[in-house]
Amino acid sequence: MSVTLFRNARIFTAEDPGKPPAGSQQGRVTSWDRGALLCQDGIIEAVGPEKEVLAAAGRAGPADEVDCGGRCMIPGFVDPHTHLCFLEPRETEFLKRLDGVPYLDILAAGGGILSTVASVRAASEADLAEATRKRALACLRFGTTTIEIKSGYGLSTEAELKQLRAAAAVGRSTPLTVVPTLLGAHAVPPEFADDAEGYVELLVRETVPAAAAAGLARYCDAFCERGVFTAAQCRRVLEAARQAGMGLKLHADEVHDTGGAALAASLGAVSAEHLLSSGEAGLRSLAAAGSVAVLLPATAYALRKPFAAARRMVELGLAVAIATDCNPGSSYTESMPFVFGLAVLGMGLSVSEALVASTLNAAYAVGEGRRAGSLSPGKRADVLLLDGETPGIVAFHAGVSPVAAVYANGVRAWPAEGLQP
Ligand code: NIG
Ligand code: FE
């Protein structure tokens, strides 16, 4: 049995009401000036004022002690939307976009997502897993302890499953908890050019059932966008996924409003993601359905689009989460602190709202709300120590990582032993 006591920390955490905090609850954060956290075998036993936790620790027996030196402690970040499983970022394409070529035009010409598809198809599973593992470790250094990883660069049953297996391998080869999502409906592959319906048929009949049978995907997602998949096509794929026992997510209204938010709501999806172009009616339907709005401000930043209407979403009573969208094209960053900073300074969330968005609501958006996202007894002891006094440092200290140390399941995951935090 391993018992660890973290003491002398300024602790900030959402208190978990058992569902994603929404609307006026989004910014509810509890803090203790001189706090402590006790965990046993990777699970939080007690958290609160140091004196109270020390009393509980006395009962739990001998503990390893971590003196946090008055640093700020928050839950590990949960990154609920990534496309982490690829080999190389598309740097040339980035330069083209800077010259004014639109993201969707590059895809329509066979580049963009489709050029990543070509390299992922050609890669061995071992090479793909290794590239993904390295990238996941970069996420970990920036404080991510739970991460969703989507497929979507295989676009054949075999290559999608290869990506999902590579994602699962990251869960075994790193301290991160990985939530895998099937995104077979990410683009229409070249062999189905001009026959999107035929590809949807393949997904429904073969890919979705195969991923479900192999137990490789907890969620299924689709890219609902003009020139990619229509709302009706996404509905077919997601209904098949629901029948196969997966939870549902949707890339909704990223570039154009094609009814994505309303579709996600009508399917009871756990989350609708992007929402850069959603109309008021779509947002209202998401609020009524209780789907989490997963916002990706680094994507808006890199595509030079206006940020999602996060303040309006909170006003409408939505639960907001934030994520990196880390991918080789539209958002190439592993850094949740960067996204946190954009959420505060670009989208107008308060620091407390951004903290909930990057931890508890993000955990609910990937089905991990009961196990992660807040420093609550019974959850994984996924803990960050920050070089600062409050979570505000994450937005304030821009462009670098404010993360001094990362503990996953109660064990120090970064910096490696021997390096002082
Ligand atoms: O969420 N838009 C669809 N998918 C990703 C981008 C993937 C890529 O460009 O490789 C996104 O932005
Ligand atoms: Fe995405």
Side-chain angles (χ1 to χ4, degrees):
M1 184 178 74
S2 99
V3 179
T4 306
L5 174 69
F6 298 82
R7 54 191 298 186
N8 190 17
R10 292 183 165 84
I11 300 182
F12 293 76
T13 178
E15 270 191 56
D16 186 356
K19 59 180 187 178
S24 58
Q25 305 297 300
Q26 171 90 34
R28 277 197 54 187
V29 166
T30 303
S31 62
W32 297 280
D33 249 5
R34 188 165 177 119
L37 181 144
L38 179 71
C39 68
Q40 185 172 320
D41 295 331
I43 301 295
I44 299 172
E45 286 269 307
V47 61
E50 193 175 75
K51 277 191 187 144
E52 287 176 23
V53 176
L54 283 180
R59 289 195 296 276
D64 289 337
E65 268 197 26
V66 178
D67 181 350
C68 301
R71 285 191 176 90
C72 174
M73 172 191 285
I74 61 173
F77 291 125
V78 177
D79 189 346
H81 179 140
T82 84
H83 307 253
L84 213 67
C85 191
F86 62 89
L87 295 166
E88 298 296 335
R90 305 192 301 267
E91 196 174 331
T92 322
E93 174 191 315
F94 172 66
L95 298 176
K96 269 196 204 162
R97 284 198 285 108
L98 289 183
D99 285 340
V101 186
Y103 176 79
L104 286 176
D105 288 12
I106 295 172
L107 175 61
I113 294 171
L114 291 175
S115 63
T116 302
V117 169
S119 62
V120 164
R121 282 181 172 182
S124 72
E125 188 172 320
D127 286 352
L128 203 52
E130 180 55 11
T132 312
R133 185 186 72 86
K134 284 199 177 124
R135 202 165 287 121
L137 290 178
C139 300
L140 179 78
R141 285 197 293 277
F142 281 87
T144 299
T145 48
T146 298
I147 194 165
E148 186 248 22
I149 302 180
K150 301 177 195 291
S151 64
Y153 296 120
L155 309 188
S156 68
T157 300
E158 186 200 331
E160 286 292 304
L161 265 56
K162 174 173 76 175
Q163 274 203 291
L164 291 171
R165 284 191 300 270
V170 172
R172 297 188 296 270
S173 63
T174 74
L176 286 143
T177 298
V178 172
V179 176
T181 295
L182 172 66
L183 179 55
H186 194 197
V188 179
E191 49 299 358
F192 283 91
D194 305 320
D195 185 19
E197 287 293 334
Y199 181 56
V200 167
E201 193 65 24
L202 174 81
L203 288 171
V204 166
R205 300 243 172 270
E206 191 184 286
T207 315
V208 167
L216 282 171
R218 200 190 296 181
Y219 290 98
C220 185
D221 190 351
F223 187 17
C224 189
E225 183 55 69
R226 202 183 284 172
V228 191
F229 294 102
T230 64
Q233 289 166 338
C234 293
R235 176 182 283 280
R236 272 200 71 200
V237 173
L238 294 181
E239 280 176 346
R242 179 161 57 197
Q243 218 170 7
M246 295 178 198
L248 309 182
K249 297 176 152 286
L250 188 69
H251 274 66
D253 310 329
E254 177 177 358
V255 186
H256 304 97
D257 181 356
T258 60
L263 174 64
S266 78
L267 288 166
V270 67
S271 60
E273 326 207 335
H274 283 292
L275 307 174
L276 291 182
S277 311
S278 305
E280 182 87 359
L283 297 182
R284 283 183 191 278
S285 61
L286 282 177
S291 305
V292 178
V294 176
L295 305 185
L296 310 162
T299 311
Y301 172 81
L303 295 180
R304 299 202 272 198
K305 305 254 186 221
F307 291 112
R311 281 256 59 86
R312 182 69 186 137
M313 293 179 198
V314 172
E315 260 170 47
L316 289 172
L318 273 155
V320 170
I322 52 176
T324 61
D325 195 17
C326 182
N327 73 69
S330 68
S331 177
Y332 184 42
T333 179
E334 291 89 346
S335 171
M336 281 297 281
F338 173 55
V339 169
F340 190 114
L342 292 177
V344 171
L345 295 166
M347 297 201 303
L349 293 186
S350 69
V351 167
S352 295
E353 287 171 334
L355 181 64
V356 173
S358 56
T359 55
L360 188 56
N361 280 354
Y364 275 108
V366 296
E368 286 289 297
R370 297 235 173 107
R371 292 175 287 272
S374 64
L375 302 176
S376 314
K379 292 197 183 189
R380 286 197 290 275
D382 291 348
V383 171
L384 307 183
L385 299 182
L386 305 180
D387 271 325
E389 295 171 18
T390 74
I393 194 67
V394 183
F396 180 37
H397 201 179
V400 297
S401 179
V403 176
V406 180
Y407 292 80
N409 298 294
V411 176
R412 185 150 124 206
W414 191 83
E417 289 301 336
L419 284 176
Q420 283 310 307

